[in-house]
Amino acid sequence: MSEAEWVGAWSEKRAALSPDRIGLVDAATGREYTYAALDRRANRCARLLADHGVARAADDTGGPAGGRVAVVSRNRPEYVDLFFATGKTGGVLAPLSHRLAPPELAALLAAVDPELVVVEEPFAGLVGDATDEGAWDADAPILSLPVEGSGATTWEAYDAALPADDSVFEGPAVDPGDPHLFLHTGGSTGTPKETVVSHEALVWNSVNTITAWGLRDDDVTPMVFPMFHTGGWNVLTLPIFHMGGTVVIDREFDPGQILGIVEERSASVLVAVPAVLRMMTDHDRWADTDLSSLRFVKSGGGPCRESVMEAWWDRGVDLSQGYGLTECGPNNFAMPDDWPREKAHTVGVANVHVDARVVDDDGGELPAGEIGELQLRSPHAADGYWSSPQESAATFGEWVSTGDLARVDDEGYVSIEGRKKNMFVSGGENVYPAEVEDAIADHPAVADAVVIAVPDDQWGQVGKAVVELAADAGSETAADGAANTDPLALDDLRAFLDGRLARFKHPRHLAFVDELPTSGPDKLDRDAVAAEFGE
């Protein structure tokens, strides 16, 4: 057994416990990897990283980070190799989004300051452009991951650089508080921040997920989150690996493909953002796909509309909402056994090793039913933001300040009311866009909606609803009997909302889009909506 502990020992110990069990499936190639094979691959990768200084130095006295490897790639097996290998060497894995613009990527590369960079070939141009920005001096070696079927690479091929020795890698001892992942935030304002996640935090999030969600060693899941996102690792991949289950990855997933994997691989658990879950219900394969293997489905990354949840419930699938963030978890809540459907709008109750509270602007805890900022406390919280002491102090402490508004009911169920920064005041009354969006989405002509604040001479601010229409939305008749040119008129929408929402919450403006913009792992991009439709 190597000296590396915590995450560094996972692949070795899992290989010893269940060497022939399939841990990873690459849907792009059809290849299956046993846990024994994954550990051998990780040993080779660990030697490569150690040769490049991606390791905890032998004389390290517990500094904030070891050597770092940055990765710009879609989901593929090499990502898993690098995760386990950095665990073995005590290095840090820094996944970077391939969806960033060159200046943003250059700023992150400069912040991470990697000893080695691994780039999937389709993004060689992006990394080259980022290098030209000048923010990053690009003195680290770069290795290429070629696209399947093509051996062409811009830099030395990753496989060619790997040592042949796949025997046990004798790595350094790793402390539980040592960093293992740098995961950047969504970056809705300014350059994304790198969140420092320790070995201990990864283990605790895994334990929280396993114990709260009841994961098993025979669970199979399609991993639809990108691995540059906390969802790609912490939502299900690492807890499933911890248990010895199977994770299915691909370069890109479409709704029909996910349905196919659920049926063909007898997937038992699935977590996805609401947009993906909705697209699955709208897909031609939906009605004919056998979903009986699914023990539960979780929605995360934003509010899931009740119509989407009902579509899954009608198929006999236990769908509920989750909540998390890069800075804490992200798996913080779970639904109790036999939870009632009237609690579907909540994210459930706090997990075993998570404390949650709702506070006012002065940090005082609020009683049940009142809206305030959600704060979390757990051993799975991140340590802070890399090289950002002021922002770290504002978010991290005894409690993690989430920036999200929430309320807790008398039974302990937590409802997320939206981002604190998105709340606006109309005529002296607080308006929470998430509540308004949920009500608008109940309209049969609406697929989804985002509500933003716009200036108003009388009320200061009012809501503007930006609506993506349902695929089958046809022209309707206005309340006065005249034909509408749009399938939904503002007066008709407000009439629909009467009795559902107080009138000060009703939108006073309405706009339509073919498709709402998304960012990160298919989350609604509110900033993009505000930039285009704000006034």
Side-chain angles (χ1 to χ4, degrees):
M1 182 68 66
S2 67
E3 291 184 26
E5 295 296 337
W6 295 89
V7 175
W10 277 13
S11 64
E12 185 177 348
K13 289 183 176 179
R14 179 48 64 190
L17 288 168
S18 43
D20 299 325
R21 192 178 295 171
I22 302 298
L24 183 70
V25 177
D26 183 10
T29 63
R31 295 192 185 101
E32 298 179 342
Y33 300 87
T34 65
Y35 279 103
L38 289 175
D39 188 53
R40 290 194 296 269
R41 291 170 62 94
N43 287 329
R44 295 180 65 196
C45 184
R47 290 182 167 85
L48 170 69
L49 297 182
D51 288 344
H52 285 86
V54 183
R56 191 185 200 272
D59 61 349
D60 193 0
T61 57
R68 297 171 288 283
V69 53
V71 185
V72 183
S73 174
R74 297 170 296 176
N75 295 0
R76 48 190 298 160
E78 291 87 351
Y79 242 138
V80 177
D81 300 342
L82 289 160
F83 175 85
F84 285 132
T86 45
K88 290 173 180 286
T89 67
V92 175
L93 175 63
L96 303 179
S97 172
H98 52 76
R99 299 171 182 169
L100 295 173
E104 296 170 313
L105 183 60
L108 281 181
L109 283 165
V112 170
D113 190 22
E115 277 69 34
L116 178 67
V117 182
V118 178
V119 180
E120 190 183 15
E121 196 58 35
F123 311 111
L126 170 63
V127 174
D129 290 343
T131 301
D132 293 339
E133 289 290 325
W136 175 51
D137 56 19
D139 59 352
I142 302 176
L143 299 177
S144 285
L145 297 172
V147 176
E148 291 79 9
S150 171
T153 59
T154 303
W155 301 281
E156 181 183 8
Y158 169 88
D159 281 347
L162 284 173
D165 187 358
D166 63 5
S167 62
V168 173
F169 177 81
E170 298 292 343
V174 175
D175 292 332
D178 283 351
H180 183 228
L181 283 181
F182 279 8
L183 295 173
H184 59 73
T185 58
S188 57
T189 56
T191 302
K193 299 182 289 291
E194 289 288 352
T195 307
V196 181
V197 186
S198 69
H199 287 248
E200 184 176 27
L202 293 171
V203 172
W204 273 110
N205 178 74
S206 182
V207 170
N208 270 326
T209 308
I210 292 166
T211 54
W213 294 2
L215 296 185
R216 307 187 314 214
D217 60 2
D218 60 348
D219 275 329
V220 178
T221 188
M223 176 41 54
V224 301
F225 291 99
M227 285 178 164
F228 61 73
H229 185 268
T230 186
W233 295 106
N234 287 318
V235 169
L236 274 179
T237 299
L238 301 185
I240 290 287
F241 283 161
H242 211 167
M243 287 299 296
T246 303
V247 177
V248 184
I249 62 170
D250 202 350
R251 309 301 172 266
E252 306 285 347
F253 273 122
D254 63 63
Q257 185 186 15
I258 301 171
L259 289 168
I261 289 173
V262 167
E263 185 170 78
E264 294 156 16
R265 292 277 175 178
S266 296
S268 54
V269 293
L270 171 67
V271 182
V273 296
V276 170
L277 295 174
R278 176 171 63 84
M279 288 188 286
M280 292 174 72
T281 66
D282 291 339
H283 197 273
D284 292 341
R285 298 186 63 170
W286 172 251
D288 297 327
T289 299
D290 182 1
L291 304 177
S292 61
S293 62
L294 286 170
R295 296 195 297 112
F296 67 84
V297 174
K298 282 279 188 182
S299 171
C304 188
R305 308 306 180 200
E306 188 171 344
S307 59
V308 175
M309 301 184 78
E310 287 177 344
W312 284 87
W313 296 340
D314 288 345
R315 294 296 311 277
V317 177
D318 179 17
L319 169 62
S320 61
Q321 302 192 75
Y323 171 85
L325 63 163
T326 307
E327 291 85 346
C328 191
N331 301 330
N332 296 291
F333 298 92
M335 301 302 284
D337 297 341
D338 302 320
W339 59 275
R341 288 287 183 257
E342 57 264 27
K343 300 292 188 181
H345 65 285
T346 77
V347 295
V349 301
N351 288 345
V352 175
H353 304 289
V354 177
D355 295 324
R357 69 178 186 178
V358 173
V359 301
D360 59 24
D361 290 341
D362 296 323
E365 187 167 0
L366 292 169
E370 293 195 22
I371 295 177
E373 183 177 7
L374 177 65
Q375 292 188 336
L376 299 170
R377 180 171 62 188
S378 174
H380 71 203
D383 292 335
Y385 300 120
W386 176 243
S387 297
S388 301
Q390 291 184 333
E391 291 176 303
S392 294
T395 300
F396 298 91
E398 181 186 357
W399 294 84
V400 176
S401 297
T402 68
D404 286 315
L405 294 166
R407 76 172 99 205
V408 184
D409 68 18
D410 291 333
E411 297 174 88
Y413 286 80
V414 175
S415 301
I416 306 299
E417 304 295 334
R419 292 292 291 171
K420 190 174 181 180
K421 69 174 185 177
N422 293 333
M423 187 202 79
F424 61 93
V425 179
S426 184
E429 300 282 359
N430 291 346
V431 180
Y432 304 97
E435 178 189 17
V436 184
E437 292 158 2
D438 281 342
I440 293 173
D442 286 340
H443 193 288
V446 174
D448 214 337
V450 168
V451 173
I452 59 174
V454 295
D456 183 81
D457 291 339
Q458 181 176 4
W459 304 110
Q461 290 179 303
V462 295
K464 182 175 186 177
V466 181
V467 170
E468 178 184 332
L469 292 167
D472 58 353
S475 61
E476 298 180 353
T477 302
D480 60 4
N484 287 331
T485 55
D486 288 318
L488 185 62
L490 179 61
D491 288 345
D492 295 319
L493 176 61
R494 297 192 66 191
F496 174 80
L497 295 176
D498 270 339
R500 299 169 183 257
L501 290 175
R503 292 188 65 82
F504 71 83
K505 300 177 183 178
H506 290 195
R508 301 300 180 100
H509 303 276
L510 182 61
F512 299 96
V513 291
D514 292 334
E515 186 175 4
L516 287 167
T518 58
S519 65
D522 296 315
K523 295 171 65 174
L524 291 177
D525 190 340
R526 295 177 180 276
D527 291 330
V529 173
E532 183 173 354
F533 294 97
E535 299 172 5

